[in-house]
Amino acid sequence: MGGQGSDEKRSLELAEEARETEWQKPSFISELFMGRVATSLIFPFPEQDPADKRAGDEVLEKLRIFLKEKLDADRIDREKEIPPEVIAGLRDLGLFGIKIPKEYGGLGLSQTNYNRIVQLVSSHCASTAVMLSAHQSIGVPQPLRMFGTEEQKQKYLPRLAAGAMSAFALTEPGVGSDPSKMTTTAVPAEDDESYLINGKKLWITNGPVADLMIVMARTNDPREERPEITAFIVEGNAEGLSTEHRCDFMGLKGLQNGLLNFDNVRVSREDILGSMGEGLKLALRTLNTGRLTLPAACGGAMKQTLAMAVKWGKERRQWGAPVAHHEAVAAKIASIAADIFAVESLTWLTSALAERGETDIRLEAAMAKLYCTEALWRAVDEGVQIRGGRGYETADSLRGRGEAPMPMERALRDARINLIIEGTSEIMRLFIAREALDPHLRIAGASATSDKVNFKEAAGFYARWYPALWLPRFKAPGGVALPGRLGRHLRFVERATRRLARDLFHMMVRHRQGLQKKQMLLGRLVDTGAELFAMTAVLSRAASPQRPKGAEQMADLFCRQARRRLNALHRAIYSNDDRLAYKTARQVLDGDYPWIEENILCTWKEEREKE
């Protein structure tokens, strides 16, 4: 037990050191967990500048034609390769340098236009969308723009904009979200002008075909308890770098992703990105920005899913009416549509917030990633159900027997990874919860790794703050006026936000330092915040003069459904089965229920034991 506790503390300390602890700019989500609805950060809804939109429209028009005429998504899924001519065509369109500034050869487009492009590609071929996104959302271009020297930018950005593929190598076979266990090392070479990298990296998207990659490696003595992690720019054809295995997944069949081996790979000191030992901070900031892309990708896939469900729902007749006219199916279609409105609202809101640079978006990006990926999974699951047997059948099989080749089955397979990549839903909830607790920890003079509490200072703050959370409010937050029935939803958001802050405080008092281990409880608090964030984004968009047709009704439906989910989450905070479930899980792990493995065949276990 002592060793396990020591490892846990070491991991927490490393994570704390890598965090951006200073909140220099306001954050809507941070305010939310303190019981405040910062409407000024969300209202009015940020609309895209007309000139910026025209720049994006020009690229989207060419891209739409290219995707339709040159990119066969079913072939990519079938053959597990994105054809060279497709990659060449994307290069010709400049799509390997969407956000790279024009002075370095890129298109220099905004985050909003970048996400519009990702949304379109994702609606057609998820493998291609992830390839492009991994290259420039988390691959070399993004961290290079954020942390690179001018010499590094001049050297690499033009290559990347011209189509050099890139990757981001962080994860290892034994290391997921806990970087304290990283084993890849970079040690000074004999010439003292370069480093030698040794180790393995797993699940590196674009890794097997990358021309350039960011590699995270430990640069201090491996015998030291706490690793110093540094980022390096590595050439994809470097001597000693090889792909041991190309991974094959449930979906995203066209993706080049693999297990990479580094055997004395030499890297110049000039290719250290950022400062020595700053690798984790670089990785976290890169992922914060990279997560902005996932909501756009989810929106594209959800729209494609709904288009297929609507087409089938109107054409297929059962019991004398189209299946979409039956209430059970109609409810699914309406929910998917309402969720799409929310996902798009979050997408364009967070894109605009990132571009403005006036807010701290680490929580907004994480929250949008969490919410939109789970909304996508609900949508494709319901889409398959609406299509029935045909939803389970591949597009090639449907085409082979003369039916419309709707790729619903592929959409389901491709969607599932989004709840895992760039931070699993569980890790996202813990990350958001940690940031949400930060103001309270600072008030109490404590930290995630210390039990010290300044009770006098904390008592002085909470004696004023907590009673104010119970006081009734009679005006909409921020004096925001909304059309029709939407005003009552914003007033609900304000009440529910204060209730969330009270719930968080109650759980802090009840569990104290142990709250960080109550992952199910923290998850419910975070999900509450996510629903409130989505509701606010939806209401802001529905109130915009440039709102899309039917926005008011769609926002009303979404908010009604969100309010029911919020009430259920609130009840579960105080009444749940977490303790019994955890006890049962430990008993299952200890083999206390042998009947669970009776009358099944686990050949994978036998194969592993032979090794």
Side-chain angles (χ1 to χ4, degrees):
M1 288 296 291
Q4 182 179 353
S6 177
D7 286 347
E8 181 182 17
K9 183 178 181 181
R10 194 159 53 243
S11 298
L12 281 171
E13 288 174 347
L14 188 65
E16 284 296 295
E17 288 177 5
R19 284 180 60 241
E20 297 176 72
T21 55
E22 293 298 322
W23 291 79
Q24 303 290 349
K25 299 175 182 178
S27 163
F28 180 84
I29 303 298
S30 180
E31 290 291 296
L32 201 70
F33 281 101
M34 292 299 292
R36 299 184 286 263
V37 182
T39 52
S40 62
L41 301 179
I42 306 296
F43 291 85
F45 193 79
E47 299 293 348
Q48 190 175 13
D49 176 77
D52 187 56
K53 186 176 185 303
R54 284 194 298 272
D57 289 344
E58 292 177 8
V59 177
L60 287 167
E61 185 178 354
K62 297 175 184 176
L63 175 59
R64 183 179 295 275
I65 295 170
F66 175 81
L67 294 176
K68 183 178 180 180
E69 296 180 354
K70 303 295 184 181
L71 199 157
D72 185 340
D74 291 326
R75 176 191 168 191
I76 289 173
D77 186 66
R78 182 191 324 120
E79 297 180 1
K80 302 181 181 180
E81 296 283 348
I82 300 176
E85 60 270 21
V86 170
I87 294 176
L90 295 170
R91 285 180 175 136
D92 291 342
L93 289 171
L95 298 187
F96 280 80
I98 299 173
K99 293 194 296 178
I100 293 176
K102 291 182 179 180
E103 58 264 34
Y104 299 108
L107 295 180
L109 294 182
S110 64
Q111 180 71 41
T112 298
N113 279 330
Y114 174 61
N115 279 345
R116 293 173 71 199
I117 290 169
V118 169
Q119 184 185 66
L120 177 60
V121 178
S122 296
S123 74
H124 183 61
C125 179
S127 291
T128 303
V130 172
M131 179 269 289
L132 284 173
S133 177
H135 159 70
Q136 51 206 316
S137 287
I138 60 171
V140 178
Q142 186 65 36
L144 183 57
R145 287 173 58 209
M146 295 169 67
F147 297 96
T149 65
E150 184 56 35
E151 290 75 16
Q152 289 173 330
K153 293 176 183 177
Q154 293 284 355
K155 181 179 179 180
Y156 293 118
L157 285 180
R159 281 180 60 188
L160 294 160
M165 189 85 72
S166 75
F168 188 81
L170 173 64
T171 305
E172 298 181 0
V175 181
S177 300
D178 183 2
S180 68
K181 302 295 190 298
M182 186 175 291
T183 59
T184 298
T185 60
V187 299
E190 66 284 350
D191 60 8
D192 206 35
E193 294 298 321
S194 56
Y195 280 79
L196 297 178
I197 299 179
N198 287 277
K200 296 181 187 294
K201 295 292 183 180
L202 178 62
W203 297 326
I204 309 307
T205 301
N206 296 343
V209 294
D211 299 292
L212 290 166
M213 64 181 74
I214 302 293
V215 179
M216 296 293 169
R218 181 168 181 159
T219 46
N220 63 340
D221 192 324
R223 290 170 296 184
E224 294 186 24
E225 287 190 354
R226 295 168 68 179
E228 173 190 84
I229 297 172
T230 303
F232 296 85
I233 303 173
V234 179
E235 294 280 354
N237 62 356
E239 185 178 353
L241 172 56
S242 62
T243 300
E244 284 196 5
H245 176 76
R246 180 187 169 187
C247 301
D248 186 14
F249 299 112
M250 173 195 300
L252 302 180
K253 291 294 186 179
L255 206 60
Q256 290 282 349
N257 184 301
L259 172 64
L260 307 183
N261 182 53
F262 295 79
D263 183 9
N264 283 329
V265 175
R266 187 178 295 271
V267 185
S268 170
R269 282 184 179 272
E270 295 178 355
D271 288 323
I272 292 174
L273 189 59
S275 303
M276 292 288 293
E278 297 293 308
L280 276 188
K281 288 186 178 181
L282 180 149
L284 289 176
R285 287 191 61 186
T286 299
L287 290 171
N288 282 341
T289 305
R291 290 182 185 122
L292 293 170
T293 310
L294 279 165
C298 291
M302 290 173 74
K303 284 188 166 185
Q304 178 70 259
T305 297
L306 184 59
M308 291 186 283
V310 166
K311 176 75 171 172
W312 176 248
K314 291 194 295 186
E315 292 179 353
R316 178 68 165 178
R317 297 182 67 86
Q318 291 284 341
W319 301 298
V323 294
H325 288 192
H326 295 292
E327 193 174 66
V329 175
K332 297 180 189 299
I333 289 173
S335 290
I336 296 172
D339 278 351
I340 288 174
F341 189 75
V343 165
E344 282 208 319
S345 299
L346 288 169
T347 299
W348 309 132
L349 173 64
T350 52
S351 297
L353 292 177
E355 288 165 9
R356 288 176 175 177
E358 298 171 357
T359 55
D360 190 319
I361 62 159
R362 74 186 93 159
L363 282 176
E364 283 75 3
M367 202 70 104
K369 187 272 180 190
L370 171 66
Y371 196 88
C372 295
T373 54
E374 300 209 334
L376 168 61
W377 182 245
R378 292 195 301 268
V380 292
D381 184 47
E382 296 286 35
V384 168
Q385 193 68 20
I386 292 169
R387 280 277 285 162
R390 289 168 176 82
Y392 194 67
E393 190 172 0
T394 67
D396 281 340
S397 179
L398 290 165
R399 185 184 291 109
R401 57 186 186 80
E403 290 207 25
M406 295 185 185
M408 189 74 84
E409 171 267 350
R410 170 161 57 86
L412 182 81
R413 287 189 287 107
D414 288 343
R416 188 59 184 83
I417 190 60
N418 290 293
L419 280 76
I420 299 172
I421 56 173
E422 296 189 33
T424 66
S425 291
E426 291 74 22
I427 290 298
M428 284 294 92
R429 289 186 175 96
L430 294 180
F431 166 75
I432 295 166
R434 171 62 191 89
E435 297 293 343
L437 285 169
D438 191 62
H440 295 280
L441 292 173
R442 284 189 279 111
I443 290 163
S447 72
T449 59
S450 172
D451 295 325
K452 295 180 180 179
V453 174
N454 186 330
F455 290 102
K456 183 177 179 180
E457 187 170 336
F461 173 81
Y462 288 114
R464 300 185 304 273
W465 176 79
Y466 182 73
L469 296 175
W470 292 94
L471 297 176
R473 311 287 169 85
F474 302 102
K475 294 181 179 179
V480 175
L482 296 180
R485 296 166 292 182
L486 301 185
R488 61 177 179 165
H489 293 310
L490 186 57
R491 290 190 292 274
F492 173 87
V493 167
E494 197 279 331
R495 294 193 303 273
T497 296
R498 287 187 286 124
R499 185 175 70 181
L500 169 62
R502 295 196 302 265
D503 290 342
L504 177 57
F505 178 73
H506 296 162
M507 295 304 106
M508 288 170 57
V509 171
R510 176 183 294 181
H511 300 290
R512 300 189 181 185
Q513 195 69 14
L515 181 58
Q516 64 182 345
K517 295 184 178 181
K518 300 292 183 181
Q519 296 182 359
M520 294 298 293
L521 182 56
L522 290 172
R524 295 183 190 104
L525 292 166
V526 169
D527 286 345
T528 298
E531 292 285 0
L532 292 170
F533 183 36
M535 284 183 70
T536 310
V538 161
L539 292 170
S540 179
R541 188 182 181 205
S544 169
Q546 300 181 43
R547 60 185 175 272
K549 182 180 179 180
E552 184 177 334
Q553 179 172 319
M554 200 65 73
D556 185 37
L557 175 61
F558 176 81
C559 288
R560 286 169 178 260
Q561 295 179 338
R563 288 171 71 159
R564 290 189 176 86
R565 292 191 292 266
L566 282 163
N567 287 332
L569 285 166
H570 174 66
R571 290 192 296 270
I573 289 170
Y574 295 94
S575 177
N576 56 67
D577 305 314
D578 295 350
R579 184 174 298 178
L580 177 59
Y582 186 77
K583 178 182 177 181
T584 303
R586 292 297 297 263
Q587 291 171 339
V588 171
L589 292 168
D590 292 340
D592 292 351
Y593 303 104
W595 52 267
I596 288 177
E597 293 196 13
E598 288 178 1
N599 202 35
I600 63 171
L601 183 63
C602 299
T603 56
W604 55 267
K605 184 184 293 187
E606 296 171 4
E607 183 177 324
R608 187 66 178 174
E609 288 172 352
K610 288 179 182 178
E611 296 177 359

